[in-house]
Amino acid sequence: MNKVILMGRLTRDPDIRYTQGERQMAIARYTLAVDRRGRGSGNGESTADFIQCVAFDRSAEFAEKYLHQGTKIVVTGRIQTGSYTNKDGQRVYTTDVVVEDQEFAESKAASSANSGNFGNYQQPSSRPTPSSAVSDGFMNIPDGVEDEGLPFN
């Protein structure tokens, strides 16, 4: 099975081209910056992989109309490899994710707020710091939190 699910931000606006012929078809190419799980480089910065994506027809038209640099999306697709000979006669190997589905991963307001900070790949951590955990590994519940608001009883 060849199935890929990615969540990341576009590094730049999609590159849109149209095929020639009787029925023109849109082709969109874009790069997703996908954060790696785990520890960063040690100095507080997270690391990212830059994944080449290609969308065809209606998916490409959607990308042209709605996606822009910094937009956080979820892409479902498949990996496709290929190769070509460049103008210097060297063999170049390619790996792309062929987009089957793409959708927004955050609200429009959050997207516009984060688009200015796109060059900084640090994701805000919603996890508590280790110092706020009790010795048994559980975090103390702050005073004033109602029991009904907790996801368990």
Side-chain angles (χ1 to χ4, degrees), residues 18-25:
Y18 288 87
T19 60
Q20 301 297 316
E22 191 174 308
R23 182 184 173 273
Q24 288 190 346
M25 179 176 62

Side-chain angles (χ1 to χ4, degrees), residues 66-117:
Y66 298 108
L67 303 183
H68 58 275
Q69 179 178 346
T71 304
K72 188 174 189 179
I73 63 171
V74 175
V75 169
T76 306
R78 62 184 170 80
I79 293 179
Q80 179 173 293
T81 60
S83 65
Y84 64 92
T85 305
N86 68 11
K87 62 182 177 183
D88 298 328
Q90 297 174 331
R91 194 71 152 164
V92 177
Y93 295 93
T94 62
T95 302
D96 294 313
V97 171
V98 177
V99 175
E100 295 168 359
D101 186 42
Q102 57 197 351
E103 56 189 70
F104 296 106
E106 65 185 359
S107 69
K108 189 173 183 178
S111 177
S112 60
N114 287 326
S115 64
N117 299 328

